[in-house]
């Protein structure tokens, strides 16, 4: 009789735990802007870019969600970071080995400004300080023929490129 009672209690406990676990698993939703990391080599340097990847979701991005002529964190949530283990240059300007927050200033024209800031741990661009910039460089953007729904970074043979909505922002590293 005790064995039967213990078996029933064990079965009831196991069932309750199973229902609880399954309920939790169903409540877990994908993040709106999931964290991503890309790595690669450029000019012998190991490059790591860490960012959160928002989606377009039918919104107007440039000039609306992301204002023109304003510093943007180049992703979502925490500021995007770019890390290199070797000294490089961007538009002839020195980028020493290290980890940087990466910002972009979108503009209405075909040239946007990219910024490598010495403070890698920042939430968005809310406490961004221009005095901590390692370098700023103007880059020519490219128009994409199709919408890039999720923001993404790609490391190329010559540097890296940020793609989102219908814009690509290539950054050449030497």
């Amino acid at each position: 009789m005790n064995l039967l009672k213990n078996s029933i209690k064990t079965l009831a406990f196991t069932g309750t735990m199973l229902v609880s676990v399954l309920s939790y698993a169903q409540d877990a939703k994908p993040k709106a802007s999931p964290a991503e990391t890309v790595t690669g080599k450029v000019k012998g340097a190991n490059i790591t870019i860490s960012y959160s990847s928002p989606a377009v979701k039918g919104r107007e991005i440039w000039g609306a969600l992301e204002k023109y002529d304003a510093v943007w964190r180049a992703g979502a949530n925490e500021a995007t970071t770019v890390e290199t283990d070797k000294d490089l240059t961007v538009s002839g300007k020195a980028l020493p080995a290290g980890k940087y927050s990466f910002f972009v200033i979108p503009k209405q024209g075909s040239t946007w400004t990219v910024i490598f800031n010495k403070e890698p741990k920042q939430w968005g661009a809310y406490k961004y300080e221009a005095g901590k910039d390692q370098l700023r460089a103007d880059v020519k953007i490219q128009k994409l023929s199709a919408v890039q729904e999720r923001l993404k970074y790609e490391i190329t043979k010559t540097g890296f490129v940020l793609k989102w909505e219908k814009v690509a922002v290539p950054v050449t590293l030497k």
Side-chain angles (χ1 to χ4, degrees), residues 56-68 164-165:
V56 174
K57 296 190 251 181
R59 301 175 292 183
E60 183 179 345
I61 303 301
W62 309 116
L65 180 65
E66 301 307 336
K67 305 289 185 237
Y68 288 126
W164 196 28
E165 200 248 358

Side-chain angles (χ1 to χ4, degrees), residues 4-16:
L4 182 59
K5 283 183 181 178
N6 286 340
S7 295
I8 291 172
K9 286 181 183 177
T10 301
L11 185 58
F13 177 76
T14 303
T16 301

